[in-house]
Amino acid sequence: MLGQLRNEIGKRAVASFCNAAVDEELVAAAKNGDELGFERLAKRHQRRIFALALRYTRVREDAEDLAQENFQKAFVYLQKFEGKSSFSTWLTRIAINEAPDVAAQATRTYEVPLDDSSGDHGTTAIGHLRPGMRRAVELRELGDLSTQETARRMGLSVAAH
């Protein structure tokens, strides 16, 4: 059993070394202007960066945005990558540094006009909301209730999403 474990660890170490060697070749090619090299790097790390982004954002669309921004920054700053760490580690660090910015953008609130005069049928923006959300907006904004009072009337906690 111990021999099997050593074999497995050895195989993973070789695979990791091979992956790092391939990354080094692709980084060198991309630094020399080979766009296909960078594209291959991105494809190699796409799933892992997306999974990391999803853990931070918890929303698929936000995770996709974070992953895309991650690869854009990596492309822009690739010439500054010195190879002191693996490309994978460098890419992960970019994602971790970008996560708070993307999360902040995602939680910003946007004003939506209550009446949408652009529609031909005089429909309102509120009319397009799900019933629970519509009720919350009506109580909070139209009924001039506090957030706490709105939550209490709807049988929710203030932190409910």
Side-chain angles (χ1 to χ4, degrees):
M1 172 113 165
L2 186 57
Q4 258 184 326
L5 183 58
R6 283 185 184 147
N7 256 353
E8 187 61 33
I9 291 171
K11 286 178 187 175
R12 288 183 184 176
V14 169
S16 178
F17 176 77
C18 289
N19 285 337
V22 171
D23 280 354
E24 285 178 21
E25 288 177 25
L26 293 172
V27 166
K31 281 185 170 185
N32 288 324
D34 181 359
E35 290 181 23
L36 186 58
F38 187 81
E39 190 176 314
R40 287 185 59 206
L41 273 170
K43 283 182 180 177
R44 289 171 56 84
H45 296 278
Q46 183 176 358
R47 289 180 66 198
R48 189 179 51 76
I49 293 300
F50 175 76
L52 175 67
L54 192 56
R55 275 185 270 156
Y56 272 93
T57 63
R58 299 181 190 263
V59 176
R60 182 175 188 80
E61 291 80 12
D62 295 338
E64 289 169 352
D65 289 346
L66 177 56
Q68 181 176 359
E69 287 181 31
N70 189 75
F71 288 110
Q72 287 172 342
K73 282 220 174 189
F75 182 78
V76 168
Y77 293 105
L78 186 62
Q79 295 300 329
K80 294 184 178 189
F81 173 64
E82 298 174 357
K84 291 180 181 176
S85 63
S86 69
F87 179 77
S88 176
T89 299
W90 184 70
L91 202 57
T92 300
R93 177 52 46 200
I94 293 172
I96 290 170
N97 289 341
E98 289 297 307
D101 293 338
V102 171
Q105 288 173 354
T107 58
R108 286 189 189 125
T109 57
Y110 297 95
E111 289 188 24
V112 176
L114 293 178
D115 65 346
D116 182 4
S117 58
S118 65
D120 292 337
H121 305 292
T123 59
T124 65
I126 288 179
H128 296 292
L129 296 174
R130 293 187 322 252
M133 186 61 77
R134 183 178 328 132
R135 178 90 173 115
V137 170
E138 288 170 346
L139 287 172
R140 174 74 175 99
E141 299 302 326
L142 303 178
D144 271 342
L145 299 178
S146 69
T147 302
Q148 290 79 10
E149 182 63 19
T150 300
R152 189 187 66 72
R153 286 204 183 172
M154 294 184 69
L156 301 170
S157 69
V158 173
H161 298 286

